[in-house]
Amino acid sequence: MQKLVVLTGAGISAESGIKTFRDSDGLWENYNVEDVATIDAWYRNPDLMTDFYNARRAELAKTGPNDAHKLVAKLEDFYDVTVVTQNIDDLHERGGSTKIIHLHGEATKACSENGKRHVQDIGYRAIGYDERTPDGARMRPFIVWFGEAVPMMDEAIAAVEQADIMVIIGTSLNVYPAAGLIMYAPANTPIYFIDPKDVQASRPNVHFIKDVATSGMRKLFDELGIRL
């Protein structure tokens, strides 16, 4: 079975109502990114960060996967699919995908602020200000913030290096190191890029599908010769 790697960004979850800071001039739900998405911000004001991600978790509980997430999962009927996502939501899981690499962490998990140990599933519940992990450290969201290492990059690179087909959905390829993943695809691997905006990709064999994720995925199935 051919290996197909899907790289997704905020655009695939936008149609589920999940907002991204890149839609509003560096603001994410009216917060400056520097205040809610950096490791320095955590040490400056952990209460604010806790509130912010508690709100994201509550928001996530009220939404669900859209047709694009479900069609990504449907690809597993035809290919050995690995999803590499920059998103912290769980919409790929809820959409039915079974092999998912979260580059930037997961909103439904928490960990110790001391080296991200003691990772635990917390679902959609809020984290308390005084909540502690077994090592006695403060509990924090299990998110990869700006200024932190991206521990799943090696696993993502290994998947892309073996890809017979690559699909990129809803990402501007501006956030590194995730943006560099496209360069690890074999030279002869066809790459399908689904995004409504004009996106640059300095690679051969790139096929652009200029559309939003849901209708773009239906067009992808046509391109792949798969009937829904």
Side-chain angles (χ1 to χ4, degrees):
M1 185 176 279
Q2 284 189 304
K3 294 182 181 295
L4 188 151
V5 174
V6 183
L7 172 63
T8 66
I12 195 170
S13 295
E15 290 175 88
S16 290
I18 304 295
K19 295 180 182 178
T20 166
F21 70 85
R22 294 192 176 276
D23 289 334
S24 53
D25 301 322
L27 296 178
W28 188 6
E29 297 289 345
N30 299 315
Y31 290 84
N32 287 314
V33 172
E34 292 80 5
D35 293 332
V36 294
T38 69
I39 185 59
D40 289 342
W42 172 258
Y43 291 115
R44 285 198 311 269
N45 195 341
D47 290 356
L48 173 66
M49 296 276 274
T50 297
D51 287 341
F52 180 81
Y53 288 94
N54 283 346
R56 303 287 70 73
R57 224 170 287 113
E59 174 187 54
L60 187 55
K62 296 176 182 177
T63 189
N66 59 54
D67 285 348
H69 296 102
K70 294 172 185 176
L71 287 173
V72 167
K74 180 70 174 174
L75 287 170
E76 294 187 14
D77 292 345
F78 310 95
Y79 301 98
D80 177 2
V81 179
T82 300
V83 176
V84 179
T85 186
Q86 300 173 74
N87 300 335
I88 62 172
D89 61 57
D90 63 348
L91 298 181
H92 278 300
E93 284 87 347
R94 288 155 65 187
S97 290
T98 59
K99 193 174 2 176
I100 305 162
I101 299 169
H102 281 273
L103 289 177
H104 297 155
E106 299 176 63
T108 57
K109 293 182 179 180
C111 60
S112 166
E113 69 173 353
N114 183 14
K116 288 190 178 176
R117 293 180 290 187
H118 304 290
V119 179
Q120 57 185 280
D121 289 304
I122 60 169
Y124 308 112
R125 75 168 180 83
I127 296 174
Y129 295 153
D130 297 323
E131 201 161 346
R132 301 284 161 173
T133 50
D135 59 357
R138 180 165 177 162
M139 182 181 286
R140 57 158 280 184
F142 185 61
I143 306 296
V144 177
W145 289 316
F146 291 107
E148 293 189 297
V150 184
M152 298 304 291
M153 269 303 294
D154 287 345
E155 189 174 336
I157 288 170
V160 173
E161 286 178 334
Q162 300 177 55
D164 297 301
I165 301 170
M166 187 173 186
V167 179
I168 302 173
I169 310 169
T171 174
S172 60
L173 292 185
N174 284 329
V175 177
Y176 284 85
L181 281 172
I182 189 173
M183 302 310 297
Y184 290 94
N188 60 345
T189 294
I191 300 171
Y192 296 90
F193 208 129
I194 302 171
D195 198 280
K197 300 175 183 176
D198 290 319
V199 183
Q200 300 298 318
S202 55
R203 274 297 305 258
N205 300 327
V206 178
H207 309 275
F208 292 97
I209 300 175
K210 194 174 179 179
D211 208 339
V212 295
T214 50
S215 50
M217 278 299 296
R218 296 186 191 100
K219 292 177 181 177
L220 173 69
F221 272 65
D222 288 340
E223 293 262 2
L224 295 175
I226 300 171
R227 297 188 63 177
L228 290 172

